[in-house]
Amino acid sequence: MTEAQPKQFVAVLDFGAQYGQLIARRVRDLHVYSEIVPCDIPADELAAMKPSALILSGGPASVNEPDAPRVDPAIYEMGVPVLGFCYGHQITAVTLGGKVFHPEVGEYGHAEIERAADSALFNNTPLKQTVWMSHFDAVCDVPEGFVVTAKTKVCPVAAMENAQKKIYTTQFHPEVKHTEHGQQILSNFLFNICGLEKNWSMDNLVETMTAEFREKVGEDRVILALSGGVDSSVVAALGARAIGKQMTCVFINHGLLRKNEPEQVEEVFTKQFDVDFIHVHAEDRYAELLAGVTEPEEKRRIIGTQFWKEFFAVAQQLETDGKPVKYLAQGTIYPDIIESGARKTGGKASTIKSHHNLIPFPEGVHFDLIEPLDHFFKDEVRELGLALGLPAHIVFRQPFPGPGLAIRIIGAVDKEKLEILKNADAIVREELDAYNERLYKQTGERNSEHSCWQYFAVLPDIKSVGVMGDERTYQRPIILRAVESSDAMTADWAKLPYDVLAKISGRIVAEVPGANRVCYDVTSKPPATIEWE
Ligand code: XMP
């Protein structure tokens, strides 16, 4: 933990690929700081972190398998309250002397639990309630000292507890939105049972984070690759506040950004924030390198390699004044760390991908990293951005791939196609920004059920016949891609109202020279991906 994090914190023991992430986010939603730790962390190591409470996550394994993940039994003796869900419920049962069996039927999806005994965990929730279940095993015998507090028709122990030792577990998943009273249950645990305080908020953090940043770098020089995305922009805004022109933000313009984006980034980081801003106009160099390249991975490779070349060239140029660059600031966020697994979390949640942000330092070049957002979830980064005074168009920017429009132009990239795509994409964004804003006004939620999470235009490598006025046209179709998602791992195609689709189609064909047709991609992920390349 860094100074910025409060002393009070909840450790989430993760029993399987990313089950813990959602729990940690829910706890932070309730303004309590939480961190993910590997499920097999030794109790003495965990105790040294001084957690205020432990939450044991779900996981895909079966506790009765010989190599199923285990937990150090001593964690139950630390005198720290424990809450466990699903696998966390079952592992608690078997570790403390209970039994788990494999019933004939499992439960998947909505289920109704009925309370079987009084329990502080269920305070302010009804006797019968809908929960989200996903299990094939179930606890049949509870350990000594435990009572059953809820059951379903097929699950004899839907919840159990040893209130004296403050150990509470549920077969269902309170962290999932489909569990009607999930947040209340979590809240009961954190505030009534553990007596924690709500003290995690982004507004309070800005001062501490600024001081930490300043203290870490001292008088040294810092460089940042600023993409204009949320994460690097928040680091830039924080750096500006902490050390001003001691930090250089390098914005590499590969010519593959969306319409007006480079201008907006330059405006924000030259007029609003006091940093040293360098706009590298690399458009022509990228155009040359990408000419005739059609293979998506090859495009990605070229763009990525050139990016670092451009970046290190600037770093070297900067140092010609005799003052070395000591630090590279990065917008790495907590999910990057969890997914990379290489660093702080270790453990089961973490063997998914290698670190996204590994930097190919050229020989002889090395910078120390400063990653002030490495303990924050995306929503928190946005809140920080607002607290630091970044404009909404940056803070609420949708995800945009590093290789930019090059992977939204199917086949070879050229100037003419880029122009068509930029213009069509600007219309898609304008109309769907407005659509999302209308939903926000209706629901009060930024990411409500039907709001679009990512939306853009794609330019396929074909032409089609049309007619405009009395003229036959032979021009490009535009594919509209709009998805609902929360993390890009899965996505549903957005069920946009016909009038919204009609407006987008009408505007593109009328306003974008070179486009005469609009198609809507109605495929979810999986089986498709969000991007076309
Ligand atoms: P897919 O297409 O795999 O995309 O469903 C999932 C999310 O990742 C973004 N994406 C990328 N981001 N570099 C990036 O920085 C890339 O090469 C890249 N490819 C896809 C995509 O926009 C979506 O949000």
Side-chain angles (χ1 to χ4, degrees), residues 63-64 84-103 105 107 133 135-144 146-152 154-161 169-172:
V63 284
N64 289 330
F85 308 148
C86 198
Y87 192 91
H89 165 71
Q90 297 171 4
I91 195 74
T92 301
V94 295
T95 309
L96 299 181
K99 276 207 181 95
V100 166
F101 78 125
H102 191 74
V105 279
E107 271 176 308
M133 291 278 197
H135 66 107
F136 42 84
D137 288 345
V139 175
C140 49
D141 288 341
V142 301
E144 209 183 310
F146 277 72
V147 291
V148 177
T149 54
K151 54 191 175 186
T152 71
V154 294
C155 180
V157 187
M160 63 175 192
E161 68 185 46
T169 64
T170 67
Q171 180 54 66
F172 58 91

Side-chain angles (χ1 to χ4, degrees), residues 151-456:
K151 54 191 175 186
T152 71
K153 287 206 175 81
V154 294
C155 180
V157 187
M160 63 175 192
E161 68 185 46
N162 179 336
Q164 203 193 348
K165 289 196 156 178
K166 295 196 176 177
I167 303 173
Y168 299 79
T169 64
T170 67
Q171 180 54 66
F172 58 91
H173 289 268
E175 77 277 24
V176 170
K177 289 250 155 95
H178 306 289
T179 295
E180 227 182 339
H181 300 284
Q183 237 13 22
Q184 181 64 49
I185 290 170
L186 207 47
S187 197
N188 288 339
F189 176 71
L190 297 174
F191 306 117
N192 303 342
I193 294 168
C194 305
L196 302 183
E197 278 170 41
K198 295 188 174 191
N199 66 358
W200 176 248
S201 103
M202 297 303 112
D203 280 347
N204 301 344
L205 275 180
V206 168
E207 288 310 321
T208 341
M209 290 182 72
T210 309
E212 254 191 18
F213 196 116
R214 196 178 291 137
E215 195 181 324
K216 170 147 190 185
V217 303
E219 299 294 311
D220 288 316
R221 190 175 215 171
V222 183
I223 193 167
L224 166 78
L226 177 64
S227 69
V230 189
D231 307 335
S232 63
S233 297
V234 171
V235 176
L238 186 67
R241 199 182 155 102
I243 56 168
K245 287 196 158 39
Q246 212 176 309
M247 178 166 81
T248 301
C249 297
V250 182
F251 174 63
I252 293 166
N253 184 352
H254 50 23
L256 305 164
L257 294 171
R258 294 169 289 193
K259 192 171 179 177
N260 298 331
E261 215 160 41
E263 295 78 7
Q264 284 171 352
V265 174
E266 176 158 346
E267 162 99 17
V268 170
F269 290 100
T270 52
K271 306 236 164 84
Q272 224 179 308
F273 289 94
D274 185 29
V275 286
D276 182 28
F277 179 85
I278 299 182
H279 188 150
V280 180
H281 283 281
E283 297 96 313
D284 292 344
R285 291 190 285 280
Y286 275 91
E288 208 170 297
L289 286 166
L290 286 171
V293 178
T294 55
E295 215 281 311
E297 288 310 303
E298 181 62 5
K299 288 182 189 173
R300 279 194 170 80
R301 193 193 59 75
I302 292 171
I303 294 166
T305 311
Q306 184 63 17
F307 179 87
W308 290 113
K309 260 192 200 162
E310 299 279 346
F311 182 78
F312 288 119
V314 176
Q316 270 170 346
Q317 178 62 33
L318 277 180
E319 290 185 333
T320 54
D321 67 4
K323 188 164 171 39
V325 176
K326 171 95 188 288
Y327 288 102
L328 174 65
Q330 286 233 107
T332 314
I333 66 171
Y334 196 35
D336 300 335
I337 302 275
I338 298 168
E339 284 164 25
S340 76
R343 291 192 283 168
K344 299 166 195 161
T345 67
K348 304 279 181 254
S350 34
T351 40
I352 304 161
K353 320 183 185 156
S354 57
H355 200 296
H356 305 285
N357 293 312
L358 270 187
I359 305 147
F361 288 131
E363 219 172 293
V365 175
H366 177 79
F367 304 124
D368 289 345
L369 292 184
I370 172 161
E371 298 178 303
L373 309 180
D374 67 353
H375 276 75
F376 295 93
F377 288 112
K378 196 79 176 188
D379 297 348
E380 296 172 325
V381 173
R382 291 193 212 281
E383 268 184 66
L384 263 180
L386 290 177
L388 284 160
L390 279 171
H393 66 82
I394 288 189
V395 170
F396 294 108
R397 205 177 91 132
Q398 51 178 305
F400 184 66
L405 300 180
I407 58 162
R408 294 180 180 171
I409 292 176
I410 313 306
V413 177
D414 65 34
K415 244 187 170 162
E416 188 196 337
K417 289 182 197 165
L418 264 173
E419 195 57 24
I420 298 174
L421 183 61
K422 279 185 191 175
N423 288 329
D425 186 70
I427 293 173
V428 171
R429 282 189 294 135
E430 208 178 300
E431 292 301 329
L432 292 184
D433 282 350
Y435 168 73
N436 270 351
E437 210 50 40
R438 287 197 294 277
L439 285 179
Y440 174 49
K441 282 204 180 111
Q442 280 164 21
T443 62
E445 271 182 74
R446 275 263 167 232
N447 206 2
S448 70
E449 201 183 346
H450 291 296
S451 47
C452 296
W453 189 76
Q454 196 174 4
Y455 38 98
F456 51 87

Side-chain angles (χ1 to χ4, degrees), residues 300 399-403 407-408 453-454 456 487-489 525 528-533:
R300 279 194 170 80
F400 184 66
I407 58 162
R408 294 180 180 171
W453 189 76
Q454 196 174 4
F456 51 87
D487 54 11
M489 307 282 277
K525 171 184 179 176
T529 49
I530 296 176
E531 303 289 348
W532 271 53
E533 282 198 338

